[in-house]
Amino acid sequence: MSMTVLTASPALIEPVLAAPAKAPAKARPKAKPKAPPKAPVAKKSVPVDPATVSAIRGEAGGRIARFYETREYRPLWIVGGKAGDLIGAAAQDFLRDLDDAKLDGLDPARYDPQGLREAIAEADRGGPEELAVAEVALTRAFTKYVGYMRKVRDVGMIYVGKGLKPAKLADDAVLRVAAMKDFTSYVETMGWMSPHYVRMREALRAAEKAGADRETLDVLRLNRERARALPSAAVRHIVVDAAAARLYYYQDGEQVGTMRVVVGAKETQTPMLAGTINWAIFNPYWNIPDYLTRDNVARKVLSGRTLESMDMEVLSDWSASPEVADPSTIDWQAVRDGKVVLRIRELPGPANSMGKVKFLFPNDEGIYLHDTPNRDLLVKVDRHLSNGCIRLEDAPALGRWMMGKSFGVKSKAPEQAVALPAPVPVYLTYLTATTTKKGVALLDDVYGRDDRRGPKLAF
């Protein structure tokens, strides 16, 4: 069977990407789109038999035992019912994940799904001891599987600061996160992974099922690995997908919002970068890049324009407290020829390229998120138009989410720095694959990072 893979523009997939949702449902016969979580089933069940709890106490060991101890040995996988205790629906969801572990680049046999099925069958026929064996076996396999799924590979992501790269978690830490909310829903939606990872995984499944060619599968696997570096929706964070020119933000397991953005052009690409936003700068200056000073500003001055007419000023140096220099003392032809390098900044105001606010996170690439007065760029289909920074469709909405009541200032004074109440991680990624109603779609590889015609990357 063959499949025609679409080459899609962001306009084709934006309605899909913009839809606020939990992690996309996996391809299971029983799952329906946007189905309500199965938490009510667990709430209606009766408490687990104390004998089962006691058996779990005897069966668990190591860090897993520490986790169970913190919850008085209440089970994760066992549910109580009028007919007695039994292994609940989460186990079947998990077993399907293990059967499909090749989609994650993992070997299903490593987690012994057949052995788990046999343990569950014994639990169905047996009593508390057999239930405890199945419970703990499922938990061990689950922590092992989650640990390997969260292990990232080098796909070009630059991490600026600690705690941004997924770290190896102890078994009890994995389980504490899993048990924070409804465990059945957590397993069903792969809540330990980014929704973008689940989306890439499902795109890969669809492509394999349709018989896609090797190159397409390699691109999908590469995108899967890029998405593996992103946190789960349980982590409060921002994702900027430079391929689709779109931003998402997450909190408490949910996608809170999304918006269009303008990202770097092919010549001035937005890097794959993870950092932490700490500051909002209101009424910002725009420090003009050297090449724009040479190719744009100097050319205009030589043709008769003044810096004042362009709401710009030239500074004496790159220190924290520079003096404003007299433009008439500058050899503008030397600047135009690249022989003299100047520091020029655009003053705050309605036309300032930074808009009313920019959000800073430390990085050597000079990348940040900022407002923009150029609203016409945001309605374009191809929004790869910036010098590398991210221009926001709705900077106030993102600012209010990050800062709450502290967002905004009354003064018009330039460069007013306001610290965020809590730092917010931001991940700049590049996901060129998705699914549409017509099947798997590949966006234009604007930055040439997929290497679609060169050597293949196999994971």
Side-chain angles (χ1 to χ4, degrees):
M1 183 159 117
S2 63
M3 177 184 74
T4 300
V5 179
L6 304 173
T7 300
S9 72
L12 174 63
I13 65 166
E14 273 188 2
V16 178
L17 299 183
K22 296 181 181 179
K26 291 174 277 186
R28 295 169 178 158
K30 68 175 183 178
K32 297 180 180 179
K34 298 184 180 179
K38 295 184 289 186
V41 175
K43 291 180 181 178
K44 293 179 181 178
S45 62
V46 300
V48 172
D49 188 339
T52 301
V53 174
S54 179
I56 294 171
R57 182 195 299 267
E59 183 67 22
R63 288 187 176 272
I64 289 176
R66 294 186 197 176
F67 163 73
Y68 278 111
E69 183 179 9
T70 62
R71 51 189 281 119
E72 298 178 333
Y73 296 92
R74 289 180 292 108
L76 282 175
W77 308 90
I78 299 170
V79 296
K82 292 181 179 179
D85 297 343
L86 72 160
I87 301 294
Q92 298 307 315
D93 287 335
F94 177 49
L95 286 169
R96 279 187 282 270
D97 289 339
L98 297 186
D99 291 340
D100 293 338
K102 287 184 178 180
L103 293 172
D104 307 301
L106 304 174
D107 181 4
R110 183 185 301 229
Y111 312 99
D112 192 16
Q114 183 56 37
L116 294 174
R117 285 187 168 91
E118 292 172 0
I120 292 171
E122 288 293 323
D124 290 342
R125 294 189 295 266
E129 296 298 330
E130 290 76 14
L131 280 164
V133 169
E135 164 80 23
V136 175
L138 285 163
T139 298
R140 288 197 184 105
F142 177 75
T143 56
K144 187 176 183 181
Y145 177 58
V146 170
Y148 277 105
M149 283 189 74
R150 294 302 305 159
K151 187 176 181 180
V152 301
R153 294 162 184 173
D154 183 8
V155 289
M157 177 72 79
I158 302 168
Y159 297 94
V160 184
K162 296 181 179 180
L164 294 167
K165 184 176 182 179
K168 179 176 174 56
L169 297 176
D171 291 349
D172 52 336
V174 170
L175 296 170
R176 282 197 302 272
V177 174
M180 287 177 65
K181 292 188 177 181
D182 177 51
F183 181 67
T184 300
S185 177
Y186 186 77
V187 174
E188 182 183 21
T189 60
M190 280 193 166
W192 55 93
M193 302 301 291
S194 166
H196 295 280
Y197 178 91
V198 180
R199 182 164 59 86
M200 294 300 107
R201 189 181 195 264
E202 292 309 304
L204 178 58
R205 182 203 300 278
E208 288 184 348
K209 184 177 180 180
D213 59 75
R214 172 66 182 275
E215 183 176 74
T216 299
L217 295 177
D218 284 339
V219 171
L220 289 166
R221 292 182 184 117
L222 176 58
N223 275 269
R224 176 197 66 194
E225 294 308 312
R226 289 170 180 158
R228 198 190 296 272
L230 305 176
S232 78
V235 177
R236 189 169 185 259
H237 72 285
I238 297 167
V239 172
V240 176
D241 178 5
R246 195 156 197 98
L247 177 148
Y248 309 81
Y249 44 111
Y250 300 89
Q251 184 172 336
D252 296 331
E254 302 284 349
Q255 178 183 299
V256 180
T258 182
M259 67 181 68
R260 295 182 177 197
V261 292
V262 175
V263 294
K266 180 179 180 179
E267 298 76 16
T268 52
Q269 299 180 10
T270 298
M272 291 183 62
L273 177 69
T276 304
I277 299 176
N278 293 289
W279 295 91
I281 308 297
F282 293 92
N283 305 325
Y285 291 112
W286 178 38
N287 291 293
I288 299 172
D290 293 345
Y291 75 93
L292 286 180
T293 296
R294 180 191 67 231
D295 299 338
N296 188 292
V297 178
R299 176 178 55 81
K300 290 180 179 179
V301 171
L302 289 170
S303 68
R305 293 282 300 275
T306 64
L307 288 186
E308 184 179 8
S309 70
M310 293 184 280
D311 292 322
M312 297 179 184
E313 59 187 13
V314 60
L315 303 178
S316 59
D317 52 54
W318 280 265
S319 68
S321 302
E323 296 182 357
V324 177
D326 184 350
S328 66
T329 64
I330 304 298
D331 183 347
W332 289 100
Q333 187 59 56
V335 176
R336 182 72 179 91
D337 295 339
K339 297 177 181 179
V340 172
V341 179
L342 295 179
R343 180 183 177 185
I344 294 180
R345 67 187 180 190
E346 186 179 33
L347 302 175
N352 183 280
S353 298
M354 297 291 101
K356 297 179 180 179
V357 63
K358 63 181 178 181
F359 303 106
L360 301 185
F361 54 102
N363 66 87
D364 293 335
E365 311 295 320
I367 302 298
Y368 40 86
L369 281 60
H370 65 87
D371 188 18
T372 177
N374 300 319
R375 314 307 298 175
D376 57 318
L377 300 182
L378 289 158
V379 300
K380 291 181 176 292
V381 173
D382 183 0
R383 298 189 294 279
H384 297 87
L385 302 165
S386 82
N387 297 311
C389 290
I390 295 95
R391 304 180 191 180
L392 303 169
E393 179 181 27
D394 195 344
L398 185 65
R400 286 190 294 270
W401 172 72
M402 288 192 290
M403 305 178 70
K405 292 182 179 180
S406 65
F407 178 77
V409 291
K410 295 180 179 180
S411 170
K412 293 183 179 180
E415 291 285 305
Q416 295 186 65
V418 179
L420 269 61
V424 178
V426 57
Y427 291 78
L428 314 183
T429 189
Y430 186 71
L431 303 176
T432 56
T434 189
T435 53
T436 71
K437 293 180 180 179
K438 296 182 180 180
V440 175
L442 298 181
L443 298 176
D444 291 336
D445 182 15
V446 177
Y447 294 167
R449 296 177 183 172
D450 286 354
D451 197 15
R452 294 183 188 178
R453 296 180 182 176
K456 306 300 188 296
L457 292 173
F459 292 98

